[in-house]
């Protein structure tokens, strides 16, 4: 969420974690758009639902999928991003390889009691994976073993600390990475990286005169097709672009479960059907809403 203060020309970015549990929809925050889109109200439902979380009236919304994200970055000839920490991610998913068996074959086999005892499984029919060497892999569901067996589904990505020029595909990896080693291996770190990308993109677009021409904006939006969706009228896009030019300062907020001052906690997995979720430490959103209101009222120091 981006909040623009027109009086001070300041913008505050607020990241809502994907795992935040919302009782109103009985699901995590990352399901909000999909739930609303069942009635073709994805944008409107997202605004009202997430606005209630923060206690804000969200005026506009934008949806951009992975393809549109890359295209947006490439349209401005890439962006320059300050990478805060050097990090490696050895588990970045390769698009299209999500179900690749990586040389294994799937087979349904009827196991006798003796065979099942050797493999420590229940007897009877079940589907199993057969390794390239012909051995049966019954532990592929184990997270660590699964990653070992299906390593072809992932690629290794690396980023060095410092100012880095990124084209669309690189920027997408930077904001999607969830398994970086060290401090970058969390959703909260990913949220901070996403905010850096948004700010870098904003700065880059300030030099584009195209964004003051309604016809050119309409043409640009059309090129994104179904990858892009917004409820911002073109005239207001131009106004927002003009406002963006005046922005003097930005601040970033990531709602988290930080042990010192985090507003969120992790409840027992058993309370949510075994799912790892985040909830407000006060069990409602009052504290979060007060924090957001206070932060926006005080502005940037």
């Amino acid at each position: 969420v981006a909040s623009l203060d027109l009086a001070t020309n300041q913008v505050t970015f607020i990241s809502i974690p994907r795992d935040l549990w919302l009782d109103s929809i009985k699901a995590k925050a990352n399901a909000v758009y999909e739930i609303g889109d069942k009635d073709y109200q994805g944008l409107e439902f997202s605004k009202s639902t997430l606005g209630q979380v923060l206690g804000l009236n969200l005026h506009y919304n934008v949806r951009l999928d992975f393809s549109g994200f890359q295209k947006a970055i490439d349209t401005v000839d890439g962006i320059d991003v300050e990478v805060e920490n050097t990090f490696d991610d050895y588990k970045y998913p390769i698009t299209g390889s999500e179900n690749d068996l990586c040389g294994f074959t799937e087979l349904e086999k009827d196991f006798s009691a003796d065979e099942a005892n050797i493999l420590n499984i229940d007897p009877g029919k079940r589907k199993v994976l057969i390794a390239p060497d012909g051995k049966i892999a019954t532990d592929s569901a184990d997270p660590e073993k699964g990653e070992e067996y299906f390593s072809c589904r992932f690629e290794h990505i690396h980023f060095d600390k410092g100012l880095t020029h990124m084209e669309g595909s690189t920027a997408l990896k930077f904001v999607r990475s969830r398994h970086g080693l060290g401090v970058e291996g969390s959703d909260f770190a990913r949220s901070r990286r996403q905010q850096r990308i948004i700010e870098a993109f904003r700065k880059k677009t300030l030099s584009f005169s195209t964004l003051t021409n309604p016809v050119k904006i309409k043409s640009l939006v059309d090129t994104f097709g179904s990858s892009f969706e917004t409820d911002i009228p073109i005239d207001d896009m131009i106004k927002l672009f003009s406002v963006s030019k005046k922005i003097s300062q930005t601040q970033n907020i990531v709602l988290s479960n930080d042990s010192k001052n985090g507003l969120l906690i992790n409840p027992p997995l058993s309370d949510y059907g075994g799912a790892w979720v985040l909830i407000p430490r006060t069990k409602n959103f009052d504290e979060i809403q007060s924090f957001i209101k206070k932060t926006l009222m005080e502005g940037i120091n």
Side-chain angles (χ1 to χ4, degrees), residues 151-165:
S151 59
C152 73
R153 298 179 182 180
F154 308 100
E155 67 173 298
H156 169 213
I157 60 174
H158 172 85
F159 288 93
D160 289 314
K161 179 178 180 179
L163 191 64
T164 304
H165 184 77

Side-chain angles (χ1 to χ4, degrees), residues 2 21 53 85 87 115 146 160 168 172 197 205 212 222 224 230 233 239 255 268-269 286 288 290:
W21 181 263
V53 170
N85 302 294
F87 72 94
E115 291 174 321
D160 289 314
L172 182 63
I197 289 287
T205 57
T212 60
D222 288 344
F224 285 88
T230 186
K239 292 177 184 177
L255 299 180
L269 301 184
D286 292 350
I288 290 175
S290 296

Side-chain angles (χ1 to χ4, degrees), residues 91 139-151 154:
K91 301 175 185 176
D139 52 357
S140 59
D142 178 85
E144 292 187 6
K145 280 293 186 179
E147 289 167 3
E148 176 186 329
Y149 291 151
F150 305 123
S151 59
F154 308 100

Side-chain angles (χ1 to χ4, degrees), residues 34-287:
E34 182 181 7
I35 291 173
D37 200 42
K38 291 177 181 177
D39 296 321
Y40 305 101
Q41 295 292 323
L43 290 183
E44 191 61 37
F45 188 70
S46 297
K47 285 194 301 187
S48 61
T49 303
L50 298 179
Q52 290 170 16
V53 170
L54 300 177
L56 298 175
N57 179 23
L58 304 185
H59 299 95
Y60 301 119
N61 207 338
V62 175
R63 177 191 62 77
L64 197 64
D65 66 15
F66 293 155
S67 174
F69 175 90
Q70 293 186 72
K71 190 178 291 186
I73 301 295
D74 290 334
T75 297
V76 299
D77 298 322
I79 55 177
D80 295 319
V81 182
E82 189 66 40
V83 178
E84 188 176 12
N85 302 294
T86 296
F87 72 94
D88 290 271
D89 182 348
Y90 292 90
K91 301 175 185 176
Y92 186 83
I94 300 173
T95 301
S97 297
E98 295 86 355
N99 299 312
D100 197 320
L101 293 181
C102 305
F104 286 76
T105 55
E106 193 173 52
L107 177 69
E108 184 174 64
K109 181 176 172 59
D110 192 355
F111 291 92
S112 66
D114 289 340
E115 291 174 321
N117 184 56
I118 293 173
L119 294 170
N120 194 29
I121 60 175
D122 294 326
K125 284 187 177 181
R126 62 180 294 165
K127 286 185 177 181
V128 292
L129 289 175
I130 308 299
D133 61 4
K135 293 182 179 179
I136 297 174
T138 60
D139 52 357
S140 59
D142 178 85
E144 292 187 6
K145 280 293 186 179
E147 289 167 3
E148 176 186 329
Y149 291 151
F150 305 123
S151 59
C152 73
R153 298 179 182 180
F154 308 100
E155 67 173 298
H156 169 213
I157 60 174
H158 172 85
F159 288 93
D160 289 314
K161 179 178 180 179
L163 191 64
T164 304
H165 184 77
M166 300 183 188
E167 77 288 352
S169 60
T170 301
L172 182 63
K173 292 176 180 178
F174 185 69
V175 298
R176 284 193 69 198
S177 172
R178 298 179 56 214
H179 301 286
L181 302 181
V183 296
E184 291 297 331
S186 74
D187 274 331
F188 306 119
R190 183 172 68 163
S191 292
R192 287 189 285 271
R193 293 197 301 271
Q194 291 169 351
Q195 291 177 344
R196 286 179 179 271
I197 289 287
I198 292 172
E199 178 60 10
F201 184 78
R202 182 188 72 82
K203 289 181 178 178
K204 185 64 177 287
T205 57
L206 294 182
S207 62
F208 281 71
S209 59
T210 299
L211 298 179
T212 60
N213 185 316
V215 176
K216 290 185 177 180
I217 289 180
K218 177 65 165 57
S219 176
L220 186 62
V221 169
D222 288 344
T223 64
F224 285 88
S226 61
S227 290
F228 177 85
E229 179 185 9
T230 186
D231 53 7
I232 307 176
I234 289 180
D235 287 347
D236 285 354
M237 287 185 188
I238 296 174
K239 292 177 184 177
L240 285 171
F241 176 67
S242 298
V243 169
S244 185
K245 281 190 169 185
K246 300 176 183 177
I247 291 174
S248 57
Q249 286 182 290
T250 63
Q251 69 175 335
N252 301 301
I253 298 171
V254 176
L255 299 180
S256 74
N257 61 350
D258 181 271
S259 59
K260 292 182 179 179
N261 53 17
L263 298 170
L264 305 174
I265 60 172
N266 297 110
L269 301 184
S270 57
D271 290 354
Y272 292 85
W276 192 93
V277 305
L278 292 161
I279 62 171
R281 63 184 180 185
T282 57
K283 310 303 182 184
N284 60 50
F285 293 108
D286 292 350
E287 185 181 30

